Amino acid sequence: MNWAGDFIAFGIFSGLGFIFYDLYRAVEKKERVNWMMTSAIFFITAINTAVLFLLKSRGSLTFFTAAFLIFFVFILLKWSFRYKGIFTAVFVVLFSGFVFWAGNFQGALKEIQTLSVEVNPETQGSWAVNLEGRKRSLRIFQAYPFFGVGRGDYGKFSEEFADLGLDHGRKNLANYTSMSHYFQVMAEEGSGSFIYFLFLIFFVLWTSWNILKTRSQFKVLTGISLLSSVLMVLGHASINDLMDRFGMMTLVIVVFGVLAGLFREDFDHQKLFEIFYENDEF
């Protein structure tokens, strides 16, 4: 299940946001913090990260690393914590050390290094399958540019658009999926797919803008955590069909809804916060 890591990442980034917010409250706001809960969340988050590495999914690891870097860029820009530079460095070292020890980091790194073999078209590895699927999707789109071939009908048309005389081998997987959510949607939905693509781009930019302009640390850290999770999934979907799975698509839509509500001007996060801490103020 090379998409299981994407589900796990939602918990990882949410855990990081919770930890960073408790630190802000304790140091900057001088408020009472349940350190037992914070410590538990830290270890659960670290264990989840180790599990993600143990899965050895090259796609999940690659896009998790990219999302992790984006998360900390936002942290450095918007986290109101007087020692954030030092703390971020120490946190990354300790967190990475645990993952290295518990998550078979070297094995995961070797798995990522096999990408050099996979991108060689002569090996007919996963990259060859992805490339073949993209070619077929583009040809289908060129043949049916307005309405596509219909949702879920890529597999019915893909063989017609395969390279002639090609010894397919593993590339026969491209008969069933383009191995890219975006290319497959384009082939199946035609020009209408660009409305969907524009919506994704707009929502990511809108969320990023709201994170940068808000002064609420709750909104900042919640927004960063959820956006990082979504960016990992959207990135991974470029080489995978995970966004075509009902569970993942539903989760992403729910997170979009949460983000839209989070940045409403009339959103009162105090009531939500009091579920965990009574009588605390932001």
Side-chain angles (χ1 to χ4, degrees):
M1 293 190 300
N2 59 2
W3 43 266
D6 297 81
F7 281 108
I8 294 173
F10 278 91
I12 293 172
F13 287 116
S14 296
L16 291 174
F18 193 100
I19 293 166
F20 280 44
Y21 187 71
D22 265 3
L23 287 168
Y24 161 77
R25 292 180 60 243
V27 176
E28 301 298 330
K29 303 292 286 184
K30 309 298 182 184
E31 294 176 353
R32 175 178 60 85
V33 171
N34 187 337
W35 290 113
M36 184 174 293
M37 179 185 291
T38 306
S39 299
I41 290 175
F42 174 85
F43 284 111
I44 291 172
T45 302
I47 290 170
N48 281 338
T49 308
V51 170
L52 190 150
F53 276 82
L54 286 170
L55 291 174
K56 295 182 181 180
S57 167
R58 289 167 301 201
S60 294
L61 290 172
T62 299
F63 289 103
F64 172 76
T65 301
F68 193 76
L69 292 174
I70 291 171
F71 178 89
F72 276 100
V73 167
F74 273 111
I75 285 293
L76 292 174
L77 289 174
K78 288 295 296 182
W79 188 33
S80 296
F81 191 73
R82 68 189 71 180
Y83 311 114
K84 64 182 177 183
I86 297 174
F87 174 81
T88 300
V90 173
F91 181 88
V92 170
V93 170
L94 292 176
F95 197 78
S96 301
F98 178 85
V99 172
F100 185 88
W101 170 72
N104 191 14
F105 184 82
Q106 291 180 327
L109 184 60
K110 289 180 181 179
E111 187 70 14
I112 293 177
Q113 290 173 339
T114 61
L115 284 172
S116 60
V117 176
E118 292 288 341
V119 298
N120 185 346
E122 296 181 0
T123 65
Q124 297 208 19
S126 60
W127 178 252
V129 177
N130 276 267
L131 186 59
E132 177 67 14
R134 283 163 170 74
K135 288 180 180 179
R136 296 187 190 188
S137 293
L138 286 173
R139 290 165 185 161
I140 292 173
F141 175 75
Q142 290 170 351
Y144 303 90
F146 297 107
F147 302 105
V149 295
R151 191 67 178 137
D153 285 344
Y154 166 88
K156 296 179 181 179
F157 291 83
S158 63
E159 289 188 67
E160 300 177 20
F161 296 90
D163 288 337
L164 296 177
L166 184 67
D167 180 16
H168 291 108
R170 282 189 65 195
K171 293 183 182 179
N172 282 327
L173 288 172
N175 291 343
Y176 315 105
T177 173
S178 71
M179 293 302 291
S180 170
H181 170 67
Y182 307 111
F183 277 86
Q184 187 149 334
V185 169
M186 184 174 65
E188 294 178 348
E189 303 294 345
S191 300
S193 62
F194 293 102
I195 298 175
Y196 169 60
F197 300 151
L198 288 173
F199 167 76
L200 293 179
I201 294 170
F202 168 79
F203 200 89
V204 168
L205 294 176
W206 178 84
T207 303
S208 301
W209 169 249
N210 277 282
I211 291 172
L212 292 173
K213 77 173 186 177
T214 186
R215 295 183 179 181
S216 166
Q217 285 297 291
F218 178 86
K219 292 185 177 184
V220 165
L221 292 169
T222 303
I224 292 172
S225 300
L226 295 178
L227 178 62
S228 299
S229 302
V230 167
L231 285 175
M232 175 180 171
V233 172
L234 295 180
H236 197 185
S238 65
I239 59 169
N240 195 295
D241 63 351
L242 78 167
M243 279 287 284
D244 293 312
R245 301 178 183 274
F246 177 79
M248 182 60 76
M249 175 64 83
T250 301
L251 180 58
V252 170
I253 291 173
V254 169
V255 171
F256 278 176
V258 172
L259 286 169
L262 178 69
F263 292 109
R264 284 173 55 101
E265 293 184 4
D266 60 348
F267 175 69
D268 182 9
H269 48 274
Q270 180 65 40
K271 293 181 180 179
L272 178 65
F273 188 72
E274 287 173 354
I275 295 175
F276 299 98
Y277 299 99
E278 294 182 358
N279 301 320
D280 279 347
E281 297 294 333
F282 278 78

